[in-house]
Amino acid sequence: MEISDRTRPTRVSCCRRICPGCKRWVIYLRGELGRAERALAAAEEREAAAVRQQPAPEPPAWLVERGIGAGRLPARLHTGDCWDTGKRCAPAAARQVRRFLAQGVPACIHCRPDTALGVLE
């Protein structure tokens, strides 16, 4: 939209009355603002959808179930996908689980992490 100097109102005349040229600019800018707001909302929605579609983190491979009490010693060892885990489980490394098995911490009878690690009693 090209405005020539002849049709462009002066600052004083714009402040005293609303001229047709100013109305056109206001209408045009409102439309541009609406388009920009819709584009921004669409971009935010796409970003939120991308975040929602990210896969859930993988469960840990090994879990250590802690006992109740001040020391919270290891009570049982589990594989990461065991159904018999409690609220007191924490992720552990395979090396740490092997060490606990060697120290005599019992393995879960359902998931058998000792067999999965190749540690035979």
Side-chain angles (χ1 to χ4, degrees), residues 74-88:
R76 269 196 311 179
L77 304 170
H78 300 274
T79 59
D81 58 351
C82 182
W83 60 269
D84 193 24
T85 59
K87 294 180 182 178
R88 299 182 312 263

Side-chain angles (χ1 to χ4, degrees), residues 7-29:
T7 58
R8 183 174 290 148
T10 62
R11 181 177 288 266
V12 175
S13 65
C14 280
C15 294
R16 290 189 184 156
R17 61 181 175 84
I18 298 176
C19 62
C22 290
K23 285 183 184 179
R24 277 185 267 146
W25 274 109
V26 168
I27 292 169
Y28 170 76
L29 291 174

Side-chain angles (χ1 to χ4, degrees), residues 4 9-10 22-23 49 65 68 83 99 110 118:
S4 67
T10 62
C22 290
K23 285 183 184 179
E65 184 176 348
I68 300 173
W83 60 269
R99 191 176 76 235
H110 304 290

Side-chain angles (χ1 to χ4, degrees), residues 27-107:
I27 292 169
Y28 170 76
L29 291 174
R30 282 185 184 150
E32 287 297 310
L33 178 62
R35 281 189 283 281
E37 287 174 339
R38 287 190 297 275
L40 180 62
E44 288 173 346
E45 180 58 34
R46 282 192 305 272
E47 186 177 321
V51 168
R52 286 190 303 264
Q53 290 177 353
Q54 289 180 348
E58 290 188 26
W62 311 103
L63 296 170
V64 176
E65 184 176 348
R66 300 284 179 172
I68 300 173
R72 295 188 52 123
L73 299 172
R76 269 196 311 179
L77 304 170
H78 300 274
T79 59
D81 58 351
C82 182
W83 60 269
D84 193 24
T85 59
K87 294 180 182 178
R88 299 182 312 263
C89 286
R95 182 175 43 91
Q96 186 180 15
V97 173
R98 281 191 183 99
R99 191 176 76 235
F100 284 142
L101 287 169
Q103 291 174 356
V105 177

